[in-house]
Amino acid sequence: MDEGVDVKSLFLFFFSPQVLLLACAEDLECVPGFQQKVFYIEKPFEFTEDQLVLNLKFDDCKGNNKLNFEVSNPDFAVELDGNLVALKNVSEVGKALFVHARSEHAEDMAEIFILEASEKRGALKEILKIEGNLGIPRQKRAILAAPILIPENQRPPFPRSVGKVIRSEGTEGVKFRLSGKGVDQDPRGIFRINEMNGDVSVTRSLDREAIANYELEVEVVDTNGKTIDGPVRLEIAVIDQNDNRPMFKEGPYVGHVMEGSATGTTVMRMAAFDADDASTENAQLRYNILRQTPTKPSPNMFYIDPEKGDIVTVVSPALLDRETMESPKYELVVEAKDMGGMDVGLTGTATATILIDDKNDHAPEFTKKEFQATVKEGVTGVIVNLTVGDRDDPATGAWRAVYSIINGNPGQSFEIHTNPQTNEGMLSVVKPLDYEISAFHTLLIKVENEDPLIPDIAYGPSSTATVQITVEDVNEGPVFHPNPMAVTKQENIPVGSVVLTLNATDPDTLQHQTIRYSVYKDPAGWLEINPTNGTVGTTAVLDRESPFVHNNIYTALFLAIDSGNPPATGTGTLHITLEDVNDNVPSLYPTLAKVCDDAKDLRVVVLGASDKDLHPNTDPFKFELSKQSGPEKLWRINRLNNTHAQVILLQNLKKANYNIPISVTDSGKPPLTNTTELRLQVCTCKKSKMDCSATDALHISLTLILLSLLSLFCKE
């Protein structure tokens, strides 16, 4: 640091009105408002009455008609000549004073920051944001670039001079050059320097919230652009003005508080944001509740901490009763004001919604002590809806009811469920009731909430109710025992045979009714029933092979009809398992075969046999050729297995049609035999084509007849 310069001298130099006026540069033309908007003064031990603090210059450029000053601290006032004076001895002032001036044609505000002696050096560095020894180089420099302070939001005209760079060795034959962000770097063109005299000017209004500090470099160059001195840092600080309102950015703001909460319970926090300088009162916020809706039971249900923004309850727990409130929702209009809440501060508002949450402090109660219900025997479903009242919030488990049957339901014939829309208890019969067993039922029902009650509340007598249920007698249909009924019979039993006797009883034992029987469904028409005693007999032969028999079982349905008015009917099912007898002859397949007259393979055809009966009345089958007539045998049959045999020619035959009688016998006792003619066509085969036309063919039977006649003739 240069010899003879100390911190106090520098502070007084940079913050003297003369330097500030130089930094702010008075307009060449008249600009309405304070000619200097920001002041820094050292706090004295005490401001004494009538003491001149400083002089404020306000000019509306039209004669200052009806000029009026207003000071944020009522212990100070501004006289018409602009002198700020203390009205009494004042020792505690705060960190700043704000002066608002208004005339017929203009208004403006000036800020006076009051610094402690111990804050002088720190405040200078904080405001100017400069490093080192308050921006004063340790070594001697030819360029003196003092920090420049520029209030934001200056009014036109522009450009306006804001400071000056000095060269100790004179400016003749040299030029000043300015560079950096705001000059030749984005945002470009904000600052410029007079090349000849070092006068620094700003070309437009500045916004501290966009850029708070500019770090530029200034150097001295010769006429050829060669640097002679520098570069030296030039610090420009934008001085904050209170030009931003507090804003609530995190809405919507919704808080919850349980009913009955203790006084002072924190509900929620409201936090606003102010874009102004947080180190000044421009961004020092204070909170206040402007309006509460609704205003009952108290217009002041809540309080907000003016500094923190915490909203707390201020009424007694008894007033915070959800069930007695006009509405469980409160809306608070909350204001945030900067300047520490002073009248000159800017404001922003937001709405806080506070919901009073329900707790289970009311037990559900039945609307009456006893309910009545009537149900017909044999019927299931809902028989009665039980109604309850509950003063708690319907949207919560403190209101939703849970019902239970605590007595009178040993057979579990009843169930009760909650209707989710109405909260009623729907009592249902789930197992059909029998009038003959019990004509009356008494149930004891209990109702509770999904959520438990609070400790000092209990379920009372009104949380239980009695349900009296009357069962009505109906004419029930007779019941078969057993059902279905099963019996085994051999097929082909004689017509009129007894199958079994059905047994049906009437559940209405108190009515002493008679029962008559009838056939309901008899697909094959084989059965009849005695209408009085229920004996089932046959009216036709039972055939196991009938298409009405499935898996050897024939099924028929019978009715039992009582003598009630109207009569009631019961249905019984009869399953008859039919045992097989050998009553079906075997059948042969195929019955047609073809062979070429010059065939080398004389195995003509493989024959199969089938039988509708069951084993052992079917295979193994016995295959035989009927006796062959004529001088020589033409074919034979060979057994292949239990169900198949093969026909083989013994020689090639001429083209003709031949009928070969073949008998098949099953293994039943007694066995049954069936004779079937196999038609054999001997055809002419040429070039893989078979010609079986019988135009010139003789039937083998005719040939055999002629041979027989010839034989007889020869014998004579």
Side-chain angles (χ1 to χ4, degrees), residues 629-632 700-714:
S629 301
E632 55 184 324
I700 186 59
S701 299
L702 180 58
T703 303
L704 292 176
I705 293 172
L706 291 175
L707 289 174
S708 298
L709 291 175
L710 181 62
S711 175
L712 290 174
F713 179 78
C714 292

Side-chain angles (χ1 to χ4, degrees), residues 288-337:
N288 180 43
I289 297 175
L290 298 180
R291 184 170 63 254
Q292 170 192 301
T293 306
T295 59
K296 295 179 180 180
S298 169
N300 299 303
M301 299 285 289
F302 306 95
Y303 166 80
I304 189 168
D305 185 299
E307 295 186 4
K308 297 180 180 179
D310 290 340
I311 298 177
V312 299
T313 62
V314 293
V315 294
S316 66
L319 288 180
L320 209 61
D321 184 0
R322 187 184 182 282
E323 286 73 36
T324 61
M325 289 178 171
E326 176 182 327
S327 170
K329 181 173 75 172
Y330 287 84
E331 290 188 347
L332 308 180
V333 178
V334 177
E335 176 190 70
K337 180 183 286 189

Side-chain angles (χ1 to χ4, degrees), residues 572-586:
T573 301
L574 173 61
H575 295 308
I576 304 175
T577 300
L578 296 176
E579 295 179 340
D580 187 43
V581 297
N582 194 18
D583 58 347
N584 290 278
V585 297

Side-chain angles (χ1 to χ4, degrees), residues 370-677:
E370 184 175 291
F371 295 85
Q372 303 290 332
T374 301
V375 59
K376 292 182 178 180
E377 65 172 332
V379 176
T380 59
V382 177
I383 59 174
V384 65
N385 290 313
L386 310 183
T387 54
V388 296
D390 195 318
R391 298 172 62 191
D392 291 314
D393 184 1
T396 66
W399 178 81
R400 291 189 289 270
V402 178
Y403 298 88
S404 58
I405 303 173
I406 59 177
N407 195 15
N409 191 28
Q412 305 301 309
S413 299
F414 302 93
E415 287 183 358
I416 188 166
H417 300 281
T418 304
N419 185 319
Q421 280 73 43
T422 64
N423 214 31
E424 295 177 347
M426 302 182 296
L427 182 63
S428 304
V429 175
V430 294
K431 292 181 181 180
L433 304 177
D434 191 339
Y435 172 83
E436 285 70 30
I437 295 177
S438 178
F440 299 96
H441 297 267
T442 301
L443 304 181
L444 186 61
I445 310 295
K446 181 180 181 180
V447 62
E448 297 177 316
N449 288 132
E450 286 185 3
D451 293 347
L453 296 173
I454 61 175
D456 53 343
I457 301 295
Y459 293 104
S462 297
S463 295
T464 58
T466 301
V467 181
Q468 299 290 349
I469 302 168
T470 301
V471 181
E472 294 181 342
D473 188 24
V474 297
N475 188 20
E476 302 173 82
V479 178
F480 285 89
H481 304 282
N483 193 18
M485 299 153 283
V487 66
T488 300
K489 293 294 179 179
Q490 196 174 64
E491 66 172 334
N492 300 333
I493 59 175
V495 175
S497 299
V498 174
V499 178
L500 85 167
T501 298
L502 304 183
N503 179 32
T505 59
D506 190 346
D508 300 307
T509 56
L510 301 179
Q511 298 184 23
H512 306 291
Q513 300 179 126
T514 59
I515 296 176
R516 293 182 60 83
Y517 298 92
S518 65
V519 177
Y520 179 42
K521 288 185 179 180
D522 179 16
W526 292 341
L527 305 173
E528 65 180 359
I529 188 169
N530 186 304
T532 303
N533 61 21
T535 298
V536 178
T538 63
T539 59
V541 175
L542 305 183
D543 183 7
R544 190 198 65 81
E545 291 76 32
S546 168
F548 298 106
V549 177
H550 302 285
N551 297 323
N552 304 322
I553 297 176
Y554 179 71
T555 301
L557 301 180
F558 297 89
L559 298 179
I561 307 169
D562 66 19
S563 57
N565 185 21
T569 302
T571 303
T573 301
L574 173 61
H575 295 308
I576 304 175
T577 300
L578 296 176
E579 295 179 340
D580 187 43
V581 297
N582 194 18
D583 58 347
N584 290 278
V585 297
S587 60
L588 189 70
Y589 63 91
T591 58
L592 173 66
K594 297 179 180 181
V595 66
C596 293
D597 56 2
D598 59 351
K600 294 181 180 180
D601 186 358
L602 300 180
R603 292 174 296 182
V604 177
V605 65
V606 174
L607 300 177
S610 63
D611 196 319
K612 292 182 179 180
D613 293 319
L614 298 177
H615 190 78
N617 296 322
T618 56
D619 61 89
F621 297 108
K622 181 180 180 182
F623 297 88
E624 293 179 301
L625 288 172
S626 297
K627 185 176 181 180
Q628 299 183 46
S629 301
E632 55 184 324
K633 294 182 178 181
L634 301 178
W635 41 70
R636 73 171 186 268
I637 188 166
N638 290 344
R639 181 177 179 272
L640 297 179
N641 53 36
N642 289 345
T643 57
H644 291 80
Q646 190 171 50
V647 176
I648 302 173
L649 291 179
L650 299 179
Q651 62 185 42
N652 289 108
L653 300 177
K654 292 182 179 181
K655 181 179 179 182
N657 292 330
Y658 302 86
N659 289 330
I660 306 172
I662 299 174
S663 62
V664 182
T665 304
D666 62 24
S667 297
K669 293 182 180 180
L672 297 179
T673 300
N674 179 31
T675 299
T676 304
E677 282 192 345

Side-chain angles (χ1 to χ4, degrees), residues 39 99 119 144 150 163 165 179 191 207 216 320 334 344-345 401 563 568 575 585 661 712:
F39 298 85
V99 179
E119 296 177 326
L144 178 61
I150 306 176
V165 177
S179 61
F191 303 101
D207 183 0
L216 308 180
L320 209 61
V334 177
V344 294
S563 57
H575 295 308
V585 297
L712 290 174

Side-chain angles (χ1 to χ4, degrees), residues 94-112:
K95 295 184 177 181
L97 293 173
F98 301 90
V99 179
H100 184 255
R102 179 187 288 112
S103 69
E104 280 188 338
H105 304 287
E107 65 176 306
D108 202 358
M109 186 172 70
E111 300 171 290
I112 301 106

